[in-house]
Short mmCIF file of all heavy atoms in Angstrom, two decimals:
data_model
loop_
_atom_site.label_atom_id
_atom_site.label_comp_id
_atom_site.label_asym_id
_atom_site.label_seq_id
_atom_site.Cartn_x
_atom_site.Cartn_y
_atom_site.Cartn_z
N MET P 247 -6.84 4.40 13.35
CA MET P 247 -6.40 3.02 13.66
C MET P 247 -5.09 3.12 14.42
O MET P 247 -4.18 3.76 13.93
CB MET P 247 -6.24 2.28 12.35
CG MET P 247 -6.03 0.79 12.58
SD MET P 247 -5.91 -0.11 11.03
CE MET P 247 -7.50 0.22 10.29
N PRO P 248 -4.99 2.50 15.55
CA PRO P 248 -3.75 2.61 16.33
C PRO P 248 -2.54 1.87 15.59
O PRO P 248 -2.73 0.97 14.82
CB PRO P 248 -4.00 1.92 17.65
CG PRO P 248 -5.28 1.16 17.47
CD PRO P 248 -5.98 1.68 16.24
N THR P 249 -1.37 2.39 15.91
CA THR P 249 -0.16 1.80 15.40
C THR P 249 0.56 1.07 16.48
O THR P 249 0.71 1.58 17.59
CB THR P 249 0.73 2.85 14.77
OG1 THR P 249 0.00 3.51 13.69
CG2 THR P 249 1.97 2.26 14.15
N TYR P 250 1.00 -0.10 16.22
CA TYR P 250 1.70 -0.92 17.18
C TYR P 250 3.14 -1.15 16.73
O TYR P 250 3.37 -1.38 15.52
CB TYR P 250 0.98 -2.22 17.47
CG TYR P 250 -0.42 -2.01 17.98
CD1 TYR P 250 -1.47 -1.95 17.12
CD2 TYR P 250 -0.61 -1.81 19.37
CE1 TYR P 250 -2.76 -1.73 17.64
CE2 TYR P 250 -1.82 -1.64 19.87
CZ TYR P 250 -2.96 -1.58 18.96
OH TYR P 250 -4.20 -1.30 19.43
N GLU P 251 4.06 -1.11 17.67
CA GLU P 251 5.45 -1.41 17.33
C GLU P 251 5.79 -2.81 17.76
O GLU P 251 5.44 -3.26 18.88
CB GLU P 251 6.35 -0.42 18.09
CG GLU P 251 7.79 -0.54 17.63
CD GLU P 251 8.63 0.60 18.13
OE1 GLU P 251 8.18 1.45 18.93
OE2 GLU P 251 9.82 0.62 17.78
N PHE P 252 6.48 -3.52 16.90
CA PHE P 252 6.85 -4.88 17.18
C PHE P 252 8.40 -5.02 16.98
O PHE P 252 9.00 -4.21 16.26
CB PHE P 252 6.19 -5.82 16.11
CG PHE P 252 4.70 -5.95 16.31
CD1 PHE P 252 3.90 -5.00 15.64
CD2 PHE P 252 4.12 -6.94 17.02
CE1 PHE P 252 2.58 -5.02 15.75
CE2 PHE P 252 2.73 -6.98 17.13
CZ PHE P 252 1.94 -6.03 16.51
N ARG P 253 8.97 -5.98 17.62
CA ARG P 253 10.36 -6.35 17.39
C ARG P 253 10.42 -7.82 16.98
O ARG P 253 9.84 -8.64 17.63
CB ARG P 253 11.24 -6.03 18.64
CG ARG P 253 12.70 -6.30 18.32
CD ARG P 253 13.57 -5.77 19.48
NE ARG P 253 13.30 -6.51 20.68
CZ ARG P 253 13.83 -7.66 21.04
NH1 ARG P 253 14.73 -8.21 20.23
NH2 ARG P 253 13.53 -8.22 22.15
N CYS P 254 11.24 -8.07 15.97
CA CYS P 254 11.45 -9.44 15.52
C CYS P 254 12.54 -10.02 16.31
O CYS P 254 13.65 -9.49 16.40
CB CYS P 254 11.78 -9.41 14.03
SG CYS P 254 12.10 -11.12 13.40
N ARG P 255 12.31 -11.26 16.89
CA ARG P 255 13.35 -11.88 17.69
C ARG P 255 14.29 -12.67 16.78
O ARG P 255 15.33 -13.10 17.18
CB ARG P 255 12.66 -12.78 18.67
CG ARG P 255 12.11 -12.02 19.85
CD ARG P 255 11.74 -12.93 21.00
NE ARG P 255 10.49 -13.69 20.71
CZ ARG P 255 9.65 -14.11 21.61
NH1 ARG P 255 9.88 -13.83 22.87
NH2 ARG P 255 8.61 -14.77 21.30
N ALA P 256 13.89 -12.91 15.51
CA ALA P 256 14.74 -13.59 14.58
C ALA P 256 15.84 -12.75 14.03
O ALA P 256 16.99 -13.11 13.98
CB ALA P 256 13.88 -14.24 13.48
N CYS P 257 15.48 -11.51 13.63
CA CYS P 257 16.48 -10.66 13.03
C CYS P 257 16.67 -9.34 13.79
O CYS P 257 17.52 -8.55 13.43
CB CYS P 257 16.10 -10.33 11.56
SG CYS P 257 14.55 -9.33 11.40
N GLY P 258 15.88 -9.11 14.81
CA GLY P 258 16.08 -7.94 15.67
C GLY P 258 15.54 -6.66 15.09
O GLY P 258 15.68 -5.60 15.73
N GLN P 259 14.91 -6.72 14.02
CA GLN P 259 14.32 -5.51 13.38
C GLN P 259 13.05 -5.07 14.16
O GLN P 259 12.21 -5.90 14.56
CB GLN P 259 13.99 -5.86 11.96
CG GLN P 259 13.49 -4.61 11.22
CD GLN P 259 13.45 -4.82 9.67
OE1 GLN P 259 14.02 -5.80 9.21
NE2 GLN P 259 12.75 -3.99 9.00
N THR P 260 12.93 -3.78 14.31
CA THR P 260 11.67 -3.26 14.83
C THR P 260 10.84 -2.73 13.67
O THR P 260 11.38 -2.17 12.72
CB THR P 260 11.90 -2.18 15.89
OG1 THR P 260 12.61 -1.15 15.33
CG2 THR P 260 12.63 -2.75 17.11
N PHE P 261 9.57 -2.85 13.80
CA PHE P 261 8.65 -2.37 12.75
C PHE P 261 7.38 -2.07 13.34
O PHE P 261 7.07 -2.43 14.47
CB PHE P 261 8.53 -3.47 11.66
CG PHE P 261 7.96 -4.72 12.11
CD1 PHE P 261 6.60 -5.01 11.95
CD2 PHE P 261 8.76 -5.65 12.75
CE1 PHE P 261 6.07 -6.25 12.40
CE2 PHE P 261 8.28 -6.85 13.21
CZ PHE P 261 6.91 -7.15 13.05
N THR P 262 6.53 -1.27 12.64
CA THR P 262 5.24 -0.86 13.12
C THR P 262 4.19 -1.40 12.20
O THR P 262 4.39 -1.59 10.96
CB THR P 262 5.13 0.66 13.25
OG1 THR P 262 5.40 1.24 11.95
CG2 THR P 262 6.13 1.19 14.25
N GLU P 263 3.00 -1.59 12.79
CA GLU P 263 1.86 -2.06 11.96
C GLU P 263 0.64 -1.27 12.46
O GLU P 263 0.48 -1.11 13.70
CB GLU P 263 1.63 -3.52 12.11
CG GLU P 263 2.52 -4.38 11.24
CD GLU P 263 1.85 -5.71 10.92
OE1 GLU P 263 0.66 -5.91 11.35
OE2 GLU P 263 2.51 -6.52 10.27
N SER P 264 -0.15 -0.82 11.60
CA SER P 264 -1.47 -0.22 11.93
C SER P 264 -2.49 -1.36 11.80
O SER P 264 -2.56 -2.05 10.86
CB SER P 264 -1.77 0.93 11.00
OG SER P 264 -0.86 1.93 11.12
N ARG P 265 -3.24 -1.45 12.89
CA ARG P 265 -4.21 -2.46 12.86
C ARG P 265 -5.35 -2.11 13.83
O ARG P 265 -5.17 -1.30 14.78
CB ARG P 265 -3.67 -3.83 13.27
CG ARG P 265 -2.90 -3.74 14.62
CD ARG P 265 -2.49 -5.09 15.15
NE ARG P 265 -1.67 -5.81 14.16
CZ ARG P 265 -1.27 -7.03 14.35
NH1 ARG P 265 -1.55 -7.66 15.46
NH2 ARG P 265 -0.62 -7.68 13.44
N PRO P 266 -6.55 -2.70 13.63
CA PRO P 266 -7.62 -2.35 14.53
C PRO P 266 -7.27 -2.80 15.95
O PRO P 266 -6.57 -3.79 16.18
CB PRO P 266 -8.82 -3.18 13.97
CG PRO P 266 -8.40 -3.49 12.52
CD PRO P 266 -6.94 -3.50 12.54
N MET P 267 -7.82 -2.09 16.87
CA MET P 267 -7.51 -2.36 18.30
C MET P 267 -7.91 -3.81 18.62
O MET P 267 -7.32 -4.48 19.45
CB MET P 267 -8.22 -1.37 19.22
CG MET P 267 -7.62 -1.20 20.56
SD MET P 267 -8.30 0.16 21.48
CE MET P 267 -7.76 1.53 20.47
N ALA P 268 -8.97 -4.32 17.99
CA ALA P 268 -9.46 -5.64 18.31
C ALA P 268 -8.43 -6.69 17.90
O ALA P 268 -8.49 -7.84 18.33
CB ALA P 268 -10.74 -5.87 17.57
N GLU P 269 -7.50 -6.31 17.01
CA GLU P 269 -6.52 -7.26 16.51
C GLU P 269 -5.13 -6.98 17.11
O GLU P 269 -4.16 -7.46 16.62
CB GLU P 269 -6.46 -7.22 15.01
CG GLU P 269 -7.79 -7.67 14.36
CD GLU P 269 -7.74 -7.52 12.83
OE1 GLU P 269 -6.62 -7.37 12.27
OE2 GLU P 269 -8.81 -7.47 12.25
N SER P 270 -5.09 -6.17 18.18
CA SER P 270 -3.82 -5.74 18.72
C SER P 270 -2.97 -6.93 19.21
O SER P 270 -1.79 -6.85 19.29
CB SER P 270 -3.99 -4.73 19.80
OG SER P 270 -4.64 -5.29 20.93
N GLY P 271 -3.70 -7.97 19.59
CA GLY P 271 -2.95 -9.11 20.20
C GLY P 271 -2.54 -10.16 19.17
O GLY P 271 -1.92 -11.11 19.45
N GLU P 272 -2.96 -9.91 17.87
CA GLU P 272 -2.60 -10.88 16.85
C GLU P 272 -1.07 -10.85 16.55
O GLU P 272 -0.47 -9.82 16.67
CB GLU P 272 -3.38 -10.54 15.56
CG GLU P 272 -4.86 -10.62 15.74
CD GLU P 272 -5.38 -11.99 15.94
OE1 GLU P 272 -4.92 -12.91 15.20
OE2 GLU P 272 -6.14 -12.20 16.88
N PRO P 273 -0.54 -11.98 16.23
CA PRO P 273 0.88 -12.00 15.84
C PRO P 273 1.11 -11.21 14.62
O PRO P 273 0.27 -11.12 13.69
CB PRO P 273 1.20 -13.49 15.65
CG PRO P 273 -0.06 -14.15 15.39
CD PRO P 273 -1.13 -13.32 16.10
N ALA P 274 2.34 -10.62 14.51
CA ALA P 274 2.70 -9.87 13.30
C ALA P 274 3.96 -10.41 12.76
O ALA P 274 4.87 -10.79 13.44
CB ALA P 274 2.88 -8.36 13.69
N ALA P 275 4.02 -10.50 11.43
CA ALA P 275 5.24 -10.98 10.78
C ALA P 275 6.11 -9.79 10.43
O ALA P 275 5.62 -8.75 10.04
CB ALA P 275 4.89 -11.77 9.50
N CYS P 276 7.42 -9.92 10.65
CA CYS P 276 8.30 -8.88 10.37
C CYS P 276 8.47 -8.69 8.84
O CYS P 276 8.09 -9.58 8.08
CB CYS P 276 9.64 -9.04 11.04
SG CYS P 276 10.92 -9.78 10.05
N PRO P 277 9.01 -7.58 8.43
CA PRO P 277 9.13 -7.33 6.97
C PRO P 277 9.99 -8.40 6.26
O PRO P 277 9.92 -8.57 5.10
CB PRO P 277 9.79 -5.96 6.90
CG PRO P 277 9.41 -5.30 8.18
CD PRO P 277 9.33 -6.36 9.22
N GLN P 278 10.86 -9.08 7.04
CA GLN P 278 11.65 -10.12 6.49
C GLN P 278 10.91 -11.47 6.42
O GLN P 278 11.42 -12.46 5.93
CB GLN P 278 12.98 -10.29 7.27
CG GLN P 278 13.71 -9.00 7.50
CD GLN P 278 14.06 -8.27 6.25
OE1 GLN P 278 14.47 -8.94 5.25
NE2 GLN P 278 13.94 -7.00 6.23
N GLY P 279 9.73 -11.50 6.97
CA GLY P 279 8.91 -12.71 6.90
C GLY P 279 8.96 -13.56 8.13
O GLY P 279 8.31 -14.59 8.18
N HIS P 280 9.70 -13.20 9.16
CA HIS P 280 9.76 -13.97 10.37
C HIS P 280 8.45 -13.72 11.17
O HIS P 280 7.96 -12.59 11.13
CB HIS P 280 10.98 -13.58 11.27
CG HIS P 280 12.23 -13.56 10.46
ND1 HIS P 280 13.03 -12.45 10.34
CD2 HIS P 280 12.88 -14.55 9.86
CE1 HIS P 280 14.11 -12.74 9.63
NE2 HIS P 280 14.04 -14.01 9.29
N ASP P 281 8.05 -14.73 11.83
CA ASP P 281 6.78 -14.52 12.68
C ASP P 281 7.13 -14.65 14.17
O ASP P 281 6.22 -14.65 14.95
CB ASP P 281 5.66 -15.41 12.22
CG ASP P 281 6.06 -16.86 12.23
OD1 ASP P 281 7.12 -17.21 12.79
OD2 ASP P 281 5.29 -17.61 11.65
N ASP P 282 8.38 -14.66 14.52
CA ASP P 282 8.76 -14.70 15.92
C ASP P 282 9.00 -13.29 16.42
O ASP P 282 10.08 -12.80 16.55
CB ASP P 282 10.07 -15.56 16.08
CG ASP P 282 10.42 -15.71 17.52
OD1 ASP P 282 9.54 -15.47 18.39
OD2 ASP P 282 11.50 -16.20 17.81
N THR P 283 7.83 -12.61 16.62
CA THR P 283 7.90 -11.20 16.99
C THR P 283 7.22 -10.95 18.33
O THR P 283 6.40 -11.74 18.76
CB THR P 283 7.19 -10.37 15.92
OG1 THR P 283 5.86 -10.75 15.81
CG2 THR P 283 7.87 -10.49 14.58
N VAL P 284 7.62 -9.87 18.93
CA VAL P 284 6.99 -9.47 20.18
C VAL P 284 6.46 -8.03 20.02
O VAL P 284 7.07 -7.19 19.29
CB VAL P 284 8.00 -9.48 21.35
CG1 VAL P 284 8.34 -10.91 21.70
CG2 VAL P 284 9.25 -8.70 21.09
N LYS P 285 5.34 -7.81 20.63
CA LYS P 285 4.77 -6.46 20.52
C LYS P 285 5.41 -5.59 21.59
O LYS P 285 5.52 -5.99 22.77
CB LYS P 285 3.24 -6.51 20.76
CG LYS P 285 2.57 -5.17 20.52
CD LYS P 285 1.12 -5.22 20.50
CE LYS P 285 0.52 -5.63 21.85
NZ LYS P 285 -0.78 -5.19 22.12
N LEU P 286 5.91 -4.46 21.24
CA LEU P 286 6.57 -3.57 22.15
C LEU P 286 5.60 -2.60 22.76
O LEU P 286 5.53 -2.51 24.03
CB LEU P 286 7.67 -2.77 21.44
CG LEU P 286 8.85 -3.62 20.85
CD1 LEU P 286 9.82 -2.68 20.17
CD2 LEU P 286 9.52 -4.45 21.93
N LEU P 287 4.90 -1.87 21.95
CA LEU P 287 3.98 -0.87 22.52
C LEU P 287 3.11 -0.34 21.45
O LEU P 287 3.29 -0.55 20.23
CB LEU P 287 4.83 0.35 23.09
CG LEU P 287 5.94 0.90 22.17
CD1 LEU P 287 5.46 1.90 21.18
CD2 LEU P 287 7.00 1.53 23.03
N ALA P 288 2.03 0.36 21.83
CA ALA P 288 1.21 1.08 20.92
C ALA P 288 1.80 2.45 20.75
O ALA P 288 2.10 3.11 21.71
CB ALA P 288 -0.23 1.15 21.46
N VAL P 289 1.97 2.87 19.51
CA VAL P 289 2.55 4.14 19.22
C VAL P 289 1.48 5.22 19.41
O VAL P 289 0.53 5.27 18.63
CB VAL P 289 3.16 4.18 17.81
CG1 VAL P 289 3.79 5.50 17.55
CG2 VAL P 289 4.21 3.03 17.63
N ALA P 290 1.66 6.04 20.42
CA ALA P 290 0.73 7.12 20.64
C ALA P 290 0.79 8.16 19.62
O ALA P 290 1.86 8.46 19.10
CB ALA P 290 0.96 7.69 22.05
N GLY P 291 -0.30 8.71 19.33
CA GLY P 291 -0.34 9.89 18.46
C GLY P 291 -0.59 9.49 16.98
O GLY P 291 -0.92 10.38 16.20
N ALA P 292 -0.40 8.27 16.64
CA ALA P 292 -0.69 7.91 15.22
C ALA P 292 -2.15 8.03 14.93
O ALA P 292 -2.98 7.44 15.64
CB ALA P 292 -0.14 6.48 14.99
N GLY P 293 -2.47 8.81 13.93
CA GLY P 293 -3.85 9.01 13.56
C GLY P 293 -4.54 9.96 14.52
O GLY P 293 -5.77 10.20 14.31
N ILE P 294 -3.86 10.50 15.43
CA ILE P 294 -4.46 11.46 16.34
C ILE P 294 -3.77 12.82 16.14
O ILE P 294 -2.57 12.94 16.22
CB ILE P 294 -4.29 11.02 17.81
CG1 ILE P 294 -4.91 9.65 18.04
CG2 ILE P 294 -4.83 12.06 18.78
CD1 ILE P 294 -4.64 9.02 19.36
N SER P 295 -4.56 13.82 15.91
CA SER P 295 -3.99 15.15 15.69
C SER P 295 -3.49 15.74 17.02
O SER P 295 -4.28 15.83 17.97
CB SER P 295 -5.02 16.07 15.09
OG SER P 295 -4.49 17.40 15.00
N VAL P 296 -2.23 16.00 17.09
CA VAL P 296 -1.72 16.58 18.32
C VAL P 296 -1.79 18.05 18.30
O VAL P 296 -1.41 18.76 19.28
CB VAL P 296 -0.29 16.08 18.62
CG1 VAL P 296 -0.26 14.58 18.82
CG2 VAL P 296 0.60 16.42 17.43
N GLY P 297 -2.17 18.63 17.18
CA GLY P 297 -2.26 20.07 17.09
C GLY P 297 -0.93 20.71 16.84
O GLY P 297 0.15 20.18 17.11
N GLU P 298 -0.91 21.91 16.28
CA GLU P 298 0.25 22.67 16.05
C GLU P 298 0.23 23.98 16.84
O GLU P 298 -0.78 24.71 16.82
CB GLU P 298 0.44 22.95 14.53
CG GLU P 298 0.55 21.68 13.74
CD GLU P 298 0.62 22.02 12.24
OE1 GLU P 298 0.94 23.15 11.92
OE2 GLU P 298 0.33 21.11 11.48
N PRO P 299 1.28 24.27 17.51
CA PRO P 299 1.20 25.46 18.42
C PRO P 299 0.97 26.73 17.65
O PRO P 299 0.33 27.64 18.27
CB PRO P 299 2.68 25.53 18.97
CG PRO P 299 3.23 24.15 18.77
CD PRO P 299 2.51 23.54 17.58
N ASN P 300 1.30 26.87 16.43
CA ASN P 300 1.16 28.08 15.72
C ASN P 300 0.08 27.99 14.60
O ASN P 300 0.21 28.67 13.56
CB ASN P 300 2.49 28.52 15.13
CG ASN P 300 3.55 28.80 16.19
OD1 ASN P 300 3.21 29.39 17.24
ND2 ASN P 300 4.76 28.30 15.98
N SER P 301 -0.83 27.14 14.81
CA SER P 301 -1.82 27.00 13.73
C SER P 301 -2.66 28.26 13.56
O SER P 301 -3.12 28.58 12.48
CB SER P 301 -2.77 25.82 14.09
OG SER P 301 -3.46 26.05 15.27
N GLY P 302 -2.81 29.06 14.60
CA GLY P 302 -3.49 30.33 14.50
C GLY P 302 -4.96 30.26 14.44
O GLY P 302 -5.60 31.33 14.38
N SER P 303 -5.53 29.08 14.38
CA SER P 303 -7.00 29.04 14.22
C SER P 303 -7.69 28.78 15.58
O SER P 303 -8.89 28.72 15.66
CB SER P 303 -7.34 27.91 13.27
OG SER P 303 -6.83 26.69 13.77
N SER P 304 -6.92 28.68 16.67
CA SER P 304 -7.51 28.35 17.97
C SER P 304 -7.62 29.60 18.83
O SER P 304 -7.97 29.48 20.00
CB SER P 304 -6.71 27.28 18.69
OG SER P 304 -5.39 27.69 18.85
N GLY P 305 -7.33 30.76 18.27
CA GLY P 305 -7.46 31.98 19.11
C GLY P 305 -6.21 32.29 19.93
O GLY P 305 -6.20 33.28 20.61
N GLY P 306 -5.20 31.42 19.77
CA GLY P 306 -3.98 31.63 20.59
C GLY P 306 -3.10 32.73 19.99
O GLY P 306 -2.44 33.45 20.70
N GLY P 307 -3.15 32.90 18.67
CA GLY P 307 -2.33 33.89 18.03
C GLY P 307 -2.99 35.24 17.92
O GLY P 307 -4.24 35.36 18.12
N CYS P 308 -2.28 36.23 17.51
CA CYS P 308 -2.84 37.60 17.41
C CYS P 308 -3.92 37.61 16.38
O CYS P 308 -5.09 38.07 16.63
CB CYS P 308 -1.73 38.60 16.97
SG CYS P 308 -2.34 40.28 16.73
N CYS P 309 -3.67 37.09 15.16
CA CYS P 309 -4.68 37.13 14.10
C CYS P 309 -5.90 36.20 14.41
O CYS P 309 -6.91 36.38 13.85
CB CYS P 309 -4.06 36.78 12.79
SG CYS P 309 -2.87 38.05 12.21
N GLY P 310 -5.61 35.21 15.25
CA GLY P 310 -6.66 34.31 15.56
C GLY P 310 -7.83 35.03 16.30
O GLY P 310 -9.01 34.65 16.19
N GLY P 311 -7.50 36.08 16.98
CA GLY P 311 -8.54 36.79 17.70
C GLY P 311 -9.14 37.90 16.89
O GLY P 311 -10.01 38.63 17.37
N GLY P 312 -8.63 38.09 15.68
CA GLY P 312 -9.17 39.11 14.81
C GLY P 312 -8.65 40.54 15.09
O GLY P 312 -9.09 41.52 14.50
N CYS P 313 -7.66 40.67 15.96
CA CYS P 313 -7.11 42.01 16.31
C CYS P 313 -6.26 42.59 15.19
O CYS P 313 -5.92 43.77 15.23
CB CYS P 313 -6.32 41.93 17.59
SG CYS P 313 -4.88 40.87 17.50
N CYS P 314 -5.86 41.77 14.20
CA CYS P 314 -5.07 42.29 13.05
C CYS P 314 -5.89 42.70 11.93
O CYS P 314 -5.38 43.30 10.97
CB CYS P 314 -4.10 41.21 12.62
SG CYS P 314 -2.88 40.75 13.91
N ALA P 315 -7.20 42.54 12.01
CA ALA P 315 -8.00 42.83 10.82
C ALA P 315 -8.20 44.32 10.68
O ALA P 315 -8.16 45.07 11.71
CB ALA P 315 -9.32 42.14 11.00
ZN1 ZN J 1199 12.66 -10.72 11.20
#
């Protein structure tokens, strides 16, 4: 589920909400309860594995290729 960042125009606080893409345009209330908010952006990478460079399971490392066995 994508995460969207919002900013409250009443108190200036930024906050994020995870919601279905179909509801991305719905208004969001800030944690303080204000509903005068604007959507800033969709936070990329939330819920998406970006991978780890040294995970070793993708064949990139020495042991990943079995050469250490
Ligand atoms: Zn607020």
Side-chain angles (χ1 to χ4, degrees):
M247 190 178 299
T249 300
Y250 298 93
E251 186 170 5
F252 295 85
R253 184 171 63 85
C254 177
R255 286 191 285 208
C257 66
Q259 182 168 348
T260 58
F261 59 99
T262 57
E263 279 207 3
S264 296
R265 53 170 56 184
M267 203 170 294
E269 298 175 14
S270 66
E272 298 293 313
C276 98
Q278 309 302 321
H280 309 120
D281 54 14
D282 186 12
T283 58
V284 290
K285 187 170 68 153
L286 296 180
L287 48 84
V289 181
I294 301 171
S295 175
V296 295
E298 297 177 19
N300 297 319
S301 62
S303 60
S304 60
C308 179
C309 292
C313 62
C314 295

